Amino acid sequence: MGSAWLDPLQVIITQFKQPLTAAGFIILLLGGYTAYMSSIGANEVTVSALTKPISKIKSVYVLVPLVYLLGNALSLVIPSASNLAIILLATLYPILRKAGMSALTTGAVIATSATIVPTPLGSDNVAIAEELAKHASFAGLTVTDYVFKYHALISIPTQLVIAIVHYFWQKRMDKKAALQNQAGDDHEHVDAGKVEEITEDKLFKTVYATLPIFPIILLLGNYAVQLTTGKSIDISVEIATLVSFVLAIVCELIRHKGNKSVLEKTETFFKGMGGAVPIVALLVAASVLLRA
């Protein structure tokens, strides 16, 4: 714009436009979907269903390596680390917090997922395989060959070691945090046994417990079809979220016998999108600082 006063504002506007067409838009959609799941009670059903077996585990830290490995398994389908982290935050984070896992431990496990996963869908693996194929000793190397013949031999054992280290490290750090805060627990542990009991029928429990994680189920299903038949539909995280949203509305219409209030409640989705704007603002702030 040629103005020392207006140029910084133009940079901010430009940075807002970029994430809103990519990761920022995904954040808004998932923020809306999470809000809608809470409004129809689906999150509570999922928490109730998953915390029952979790409550039988004496140490919540046993879940740490399991969740880490689950996150890495999901990254086979969702190669974008940022997209996967957003989905795990929207689905697993509230469940693990209800189970008694500290916020820092939950965040650490989610943040370290999708780091060294042997997946042909990863853009980094594609780039490395392409570069290696330029050398005579790796002529004709495909990304699949690179991932399964070279990458996996190192990354899979490394993941198992990291999962074990996570268990001991997170336990140590939580104890350290507790010692630094004798007056109270900043992590706000929640007793899984105090989760409200869902009294609805089994069909309701089964369907509504699935809805919060249905976007993940769609992505996994699409990947399974691709492996078995070689054909797949291009399902992005955004499409999976919107399909799940429509399915949730249909379930609500059936549950409430076509009551118009069901459609009025969908406004929660868009309010949830608005509630996710601060997260997008953080992405923009980080981008502006990098350009400074």
Side-chain angles (χ1 to χ4, degrees), residues 15-26 28 277 280 284:
Q15 292 304 316
F16 256 111
K17 288 181 178 179
Q18 290 177 352
L20 284 177
T21 59
F25 182 60
I26 297 174
L28 295 181
V277 169
V280 179
V284 172

Side-chain angles (χ1 to χ4, degrees), residues 99-267:
M101 188 178 292
S102 71
L104 289 176
T105 293
T106 307
V109 174
I110 292 175
T112 51
S113 297
T115 49
I116 53 171
V117 181
T119 170
L121 302 179
S123 57
D124 51 346
N125 291 334
V126 173
I128 293 173
E130 184 179 359
E131 188 65 27
L132 287 173
K134 296 178 182 179
H135 299 275
S137 56
F138 294 102
L141 180 71
T142 65
V143 62
T144 303
D145 290 335
Y146 164 70
V147 167
F148 295 115
K149 292 181 180 179
Y150 300 97
H151 193 297
L153 297 179
I154 298 175
S155 58
I156 291 179
T158 302
Q159 287 176 340
L160 295 176
V161 172
I162 292 176
I164 296 172
V165 171
H166 251 313
Y167 172 87
F168 294 102
W169 179 254
Q170 301 309 147
K171 191 173 183 179
R172 178 178 180 275
M173 295 309 293
D174 281 348
K175 287 182 178 179
K176 184 178 180 180
L179 291 174
Q180 293 175 348
N181 187 24
Q182 294 290 345
D185 187 1
D186 285 340
H187 302 314
E188 297 179 359
H189 291 287
V190 179
D191 183 1
K194 294 182 180 179
V195 176
E196 184 178 352
E197 181 70 21
I198 305 299
T199 57
E200 300 280 354
D201 57 69
K202 290 184 178 180
L203 179 61
F204 171 83
K205 290 180 181 180
T206 302
V207 174
Y208 275 66
T210 305
L211 286 177
I213 59 174
F214 197 73
I216 296 178
I217 294 175
L218 274 178
L219 294 170
L220 284 172
N222 184 56
Y223 185 67
V225 170
Q226 183 180 5
L227 287 179
T228 55
T229 66
K231 300 179 181 179
S232 66
I233 301 174
D234 185 15
I235 300 180
S236 63
V237 175
E238 300 96 308
I239 291 177
T241 303
L242 289 178
V243 168
S244 302
F245 177 51
V246 172
L247 176 62
I249 294 175
V250 172
C251 291
E252 279 288 278
L253 287 171
I254 295 174
R255 177 188 176 194
H256 296 284
K257 299 178 181 179
N259 194 305
K260 293 182 179 179
S261 63
V262 171
L263 297 180
E264 294 174 358
K265 215 170 187 178
T266 57
E267 184 181 358

